[in-house]
Amino acid sequence: MLKTVLLILTLTEDGATRVTLTESDSPADCEASRDVVTQILTGAGNAPLAALCGETGLRLTPFVHGTPPEAETNLYRVELPKSGGFTIAPLAEGEACAPDTAADPAVWCARSGQSVLPNG
């Protein structure tokens, strides 16, 4: 079952890409959250690389503020087509990911403290 989610890509202090995925009740709620989160991140000097609302069947554990970098052990491949939307998939242990942000779709390899939930 697809859910509306907010996908955020940001740069970490060490230059890695971080992904967060947060469920929303509706597309309108997602857009409102996107606007607020983008303002907060930009105001803090860490404007998002991408902030998109969309649908996915992937379920992740809730995002927790202040997760230390060493706890961001989950790796994901995120694709952003120029036509809009996104896809996100977990990477298996040892699975390679080659970022190519100039391609269509752009490919981002990102880490997260959020892990895949069962049936996610």
Side-chain angles (χ1 to χ4, degrees), residues 58-83:
L58 185 66
R59 298 288 173 271
L60 299 183
T61 56
F63 170 71
V64 176
H65 292 278
T67 300
E70 60 272 12
E72 296 179 333
T73 58
N74 304 291
L75 303 177
Y76 298 91
R77 177 185 171 98
V78 179
E79 294 185 1
L80 305 176
K82 289 181 181 172
S83 60

Side-chain angles (χ1 to χ4, degrees), residues 19-22 60-64 71-72 74 76 112-116:
V19 63
T20 60
L21 204 63
T22 307
L60 299 183
T61 56
F63 170 71
V64 176
E72 296 179 333
N74 304 291
Y76 298 91
S112 180
Q114 295 177 272
S115 57
V116 176

Side-chain angles (χ1 to χ4, degrees), residues 6-85:
L6 172 60
L7 178 134
I8 303 280
L9 291 175
T10 55
L11 282 179
T12 63
E13 288 182 14
D14 63 2
T17 302
R18 173 186 296 128
V19 63
T20 60
L21 204 63
T22 307
E23 288 187 18
S24 293
D25 291 331
S26 69
D29 286 345
C30 185
E31 289 297 332
S33 294
R34 184 185 67 79
D35 290 345
V36 170
V37 170
T38 298
Q39 289 175 19
I40 290 169
L41 290 171
T42 301
N46 191 21
L49 301 168
L52 302 167
C53 291
E55 292 186 329
T56 184
L58 185 66
R59 298 288 173 271
L60 299 183
T61 56
F63 170 71
V64 176
H65 292 278
T67 300
E70 60 272 12
E72 296 179 333
T73 58
N74 304 291
L75 303 177
Y76 298 91
R77 177 185 171 98
V78 179
E79 294 185 1
L80 305 176
K82 289 181 181 172
S83 60

